[in-house]
Structure formats: structure tokens, C-alpha cells
Amino acid sequence: MQIEKKDIRALSKDQLRDFFVANNDKAFRGNQVYEWLWSKGAHSFEDMTNVAKTTRSMLEENFVINHIKVDTMQRSNDGTVKNAVRLHDGLVVESVLIPTETRTTACVSSQVGCSLDCNFCATARLKRMRNLEPGEIYDQILAIDKESRLYHNHPLSNIVFMGMGEPLMNYNNVIKAIEMVTSPEGLGMSPKRIMLSTSGIPKMIKKMADDEVKFKLAVSLHSAIDETRAKIMPFSKNFPLKDLREALEYWYRKTKSKVSYEYVVWKGINDDKASVDALVKFCKYVPCKVNLIEYNPIDDGEFQQASEESIMAYIKALENIGVVVKVRRSRGKDIDAACGQLANKEAEV
């Protein structure tokens, strides 16, 4: 019976050092291999050219590197790049590179499918198969960094967790991936250039605050009226706005970091005055900004883009209370570059 090998990236640097000592080698060899795995993004042990062949063979016997593979890549006329990423077990997720004149943003996935049931989102129609491992999340970012350098002549500048899946339902792995991205031994990116977007799970928002994370928080709100929000996002019945508000107030007290609200306005669903007034009231609880997002319809059903007049009503009401509002237009329409539902927007961190 063949024993399944462990992904070597599940080991910490100290564990790698201990492995080499236990196998009659030098501890520093663990440092070398760790650098190959994270800083250099090695796809195989054969890539580790400054490691002896006998050592590489020993690693091959004991471990695997469950590296992702970009199965297909589509480039939009506006520079957006959509990756279909194949995982080691054959499952596929999406990631997107979103360029502007001054920067490039990676939109990455955290789950295969999604744990939640947002009615407007294409990913929510896919059954959640499993959580992504830290290395699989990191690999998406590394692949987009290479594409950014290739197509836009500069390194990746920002990351948003707005792809497939709910990041807070895969908390430990997402946090470990972010730790590697921000580590000098990884990509060395500032956590202030990273935004995690959640559908709003109060206890996990509080946990992030307690863990003193340094990245930014976005909440897919879409309505500040419980009944309307439950129609849009049925799972939110378990997380009423009162609890979400309390968690966000706790977040701001602990972190002093503004919250971004992601908000799509749909025709006949949340484009009325009561919805505008409710959002204005909700925005007064903690310092925030609002991203109004152009909707990318997934079918001819009930979720359809609202009129420009409805969008302007939101903008005027929010600006009247001093809230910064930005309208995010759809990107990559010619390649249908929707990662989850929000990834093809002009993401901002």
C-alpha cells in the first residue's frame, strides 16, 4: 500500500530544519529548501539547483509539492487577465489580475466553490468541495505577480480576497498564506496592500481584530435591511445586521482601520429610498467607505443592474454624510472575468 506523501509546504522552517537533522544532514539545508519553496516558488524538487541531487532524491521520497497549474489564461482588451487554476487533485478555481495605470491587483480564491448561498453570485451555485491550502492560495498570487511583471512591467501591488469562496470560512489557511505573502521570506508585501472581503461572519471578524491583523477589511453588504439582505444572501439570517454592526464596531475599536462596504444596487431589490436611508444609517456606526459595484448578470433572473438614477441617489445621500463613495465598473467583460462576482471590478485596497 502506497503512503500518501505530505505537501512539504505544510512544514514550518523549524520543522524542515529538524527533518534534515533527523536525516543526518545540516540544519541550514532546511533554510535553503524553505527559500526555494516560498521566495523562489519552486514547482519541483529538481528546481532546487543549489541542493545536492541526493538531498533532492530524499525530499522526493518523502514529500510532494502540490503546486497549482494555470490551466487556461485569458487576456481582456482592457488588460485584465483571468486564470483557470488547476489544483493537484484536478479541481479548478479562478484568479484574476486587474490592472490600472498605476498598479495591478490580484483577486484570489480561498475555497473550491463556496460555503455560502448568495443568490446573485455564480460561485455560490457551485458546491463547496474543499478549502484551499495556504500554498495553493500563495501560488495564485505568485502566478499573478509573474503575469504582472510580464504584461505590465511591474510587480503585483495589491491583493484582494474576493474570488471563489468565503475567506473567513477558511480562516487559518488564509491567514497563513497572508503571513507568507507579507514575510520577507515570501513576497515581502505590505499587509496594508491586502484586503479581505467577507460576506459578514461576526465572530470571525472579531477574531481577526483579536489576532491584530494588519490587512484591510471589506464587507459584502448589499443591504442594510435584514429582510432584504436575507433575500439576497440567505445565510445572513443567521448573522443579523445587529450582530454584524457590533462586530464591526469591535473591529474598529481594536484596529482603528476603516471598513469598506461592497454594495451592488439591483433593480427592484435595493434601489428604493428605504434602502438608501438604511445604508446611510449603517454607515454612521463605524468609519467606512462604500464601493458601489456595477453588476455582471449571471442569467436573466431577478438580479439586474439598477438604473444610473438609483446609483446617483446612493452617491448623493452618502456624500451628504461625508462617506467616500466610489463606483466600480466591470472589467474584463470580453473574457467574462468574474472571480466570484466581485473580482472583475476596479478593486481597490
Side-chain angles (χ1 to χ4, degrees):
M1 179 180 170
Q2 188 174 5
I3 299 173
E4 187 175 348
K5 297 177 189 175
K6 186 174 186 175
D7 188 338
I8 192 170
R9 290 186 298 179
L11 273 61
S12 67
K13 186 194 285 187
D14 286 342
Q15 288 172 323
L16 270 175
R17 288 169 61 90
D18 291 345
F19 170 80
F20 281 106
V21 170
N23 285 273
N24 302 313
D25 206 332
K26 305 288 189 204
F28 81 88
R29 195 73 66 199
N31 300 357
Q32 280 184 307
V33 171
Y34 195 81
E35 182 182 10
W36 274 109
L37 294 172
W38 297 105
S39 294
K40 298 178 179 178
H43 285 221
S44 72
F45 297 114
E46 285 304 305
D47 291 341
M48 302 177 182
T49 50
N50 66 342
V51 177
K53 281 189 176 182
T54 52
T55 303
R56 281 181 266 165
S57 296
M58 179 179 68
L59 291 171
E60 195 82 53
E61 289 171 11
N62 287 276
F63 302 105
V64 292
I65 304 174
N66 286 330
H67 208 282
I68 67 161
K69 178 186 177 186
V70 177
D71 232 14
T72 57
M73 183 192 74
Q74 296 173 274
R75 290 183 66 195
S76 167
N77 293 330
D78 65 17
T80 302
V81 177
K82 173 185 172 183
N83 293 325
V85 174
R86 188 166 297 278
L87 309 175
H88 71 94
D89 54 5
L91 297 173
V92 176
V93 295
E94 289 183 358
S95 59
V96 178
L97 181 156
I98 309 162
T100 67
E101 289 183 6
T102 56
R103 64 186 179 181
T104 49
T105 299
C107 176
V108 297
S109 295
S110 56
Q111 295 179 312
V112 185
C114 188
S115 304
L116 304 180
D117 55 4
C118 304
N119 285 326
F120 63 90
C121 178
T123 303
R125 299 186 178 190
L126 305 174
K127 178 185 175 185
R128 188 191 74 83
M129 304 295 288
R130 67 173 176 86
N131 290 332
L132 293 187
E133 296 296 325
E136 294 170 326
I137 297 169
Y138 184 86
D139 285 347
Q140 293 175 70
I141 295 163
L142 206 61
I144 291 178
D145 180 52
K146 289 178 181 176
E147 291 166 352
S148 177
R149 293 169 190 269
L150 178 63
Y151 299 123
H152 299 283
N153 299 312
H154 57 80
L156 178 67
S157 54
N158 298 81
I159 300 167
V160 291
F161 283 83
M162 292 185 181
M164 296 171 71
E166 165 54 63
L168 295 188
M169 300 293 277
N170 186 18
Y171 184 78
N172 291 336
N173 289 350
V174 167
I175 293 298
K176 185 173 179 184
I178 291 174
E179 286 172 354
M180 286 312 307
V181 168
T182 56
S183 167
E185 296 173 315
L187 291 180
M189 183 178 285
S190 167
K192 296 186 184 303
R193 292 182 172 272
I194 299 172
M195 178 173 281
L196 184 148
S197 179
T198 174
S199 295
I201 303 169
K203 72 174 183 179
M204 298 308 295
I205 291 172
K206 289 181 177 180
K207 177 166 176 53
M208 282 197 298
D210 287 336
D211 288 346
E212 299 180 347
V213 301
K214 303 301 182 188
F215 51 79
K216 297 181 180 180
L217 173 65
V219 176
S220 293
L221 190 62
H222 308 310
S223 179
I225 299 171
D226 273 316
E227 294 77 12
T228 305
R229 195 163 189 260
K231 290 177 184 175
I232 299 167
M233 311 158 81
F235 78 90
S236 69
K237 292 174 186 174
N238 299 318
F239 307 114
L241 288 163
K242 176 177 67 69
D243 294 349
L244 179 59
R245 168 192 171 180
E246 181 189 322
L248 294 173
E249 289 172 334
Y250 185 82
W251 161 270
Y252 186 75
R253 281 200 306 274
K254 296 277 283 191
T255 68
K256 299 298 182 230
S257 177
K258 275 187 178 183
V259 178
S260 292
Y261 294 126
E262 308 291 336
Y263 199 101
V264 183
V265 186
W266 289 285
K267 183 178 179 180
I269 294 176
N270 60 352
D271 60 348
D272 58 323
K273 186 176 185 300
S275 293
V276 175
D277 292 344
L279 180 59
V280 167
K281 182 179 178 182
F282 199 82
C283 284
K284 292 178 180 178
Y285 296 138
V286 296
C288 64
K289 61 181 180 179
V290 174
N291 292 325
L292 295 175
I293 299 166
E294 181 181 32
Y295 184 61
N296 214 14
I298 57 176
D299 55 29
D300 295 322
E302 63 176 315
F303 291 94
Q304 297 299 319
Q305 177 68 26
S307 67
E308 283 298 317
E309 290 78 11
S310 300
I311 303 293
M312 288 307 302
Y314 271 99
I315 293 171
K316 184 177 179 181
L318 291 166
E319 287 183 343
N320 280 345
I321 62 165
V323 172
V324 173
V325 188
K326 296 201 174 180
V327 179
R328 299 291 174 217
R329 301 297 179 185
S330 193
R331 299 291 301 273
K333 288 183 178 180
D334 53 320
I335 58 170
D336 188 29
C339 188
Q341 180 54 48
L342 304 181
N344 59 333
K345 313 309 171 193
E346 296 173 14
E348 176 172 311
V349 178

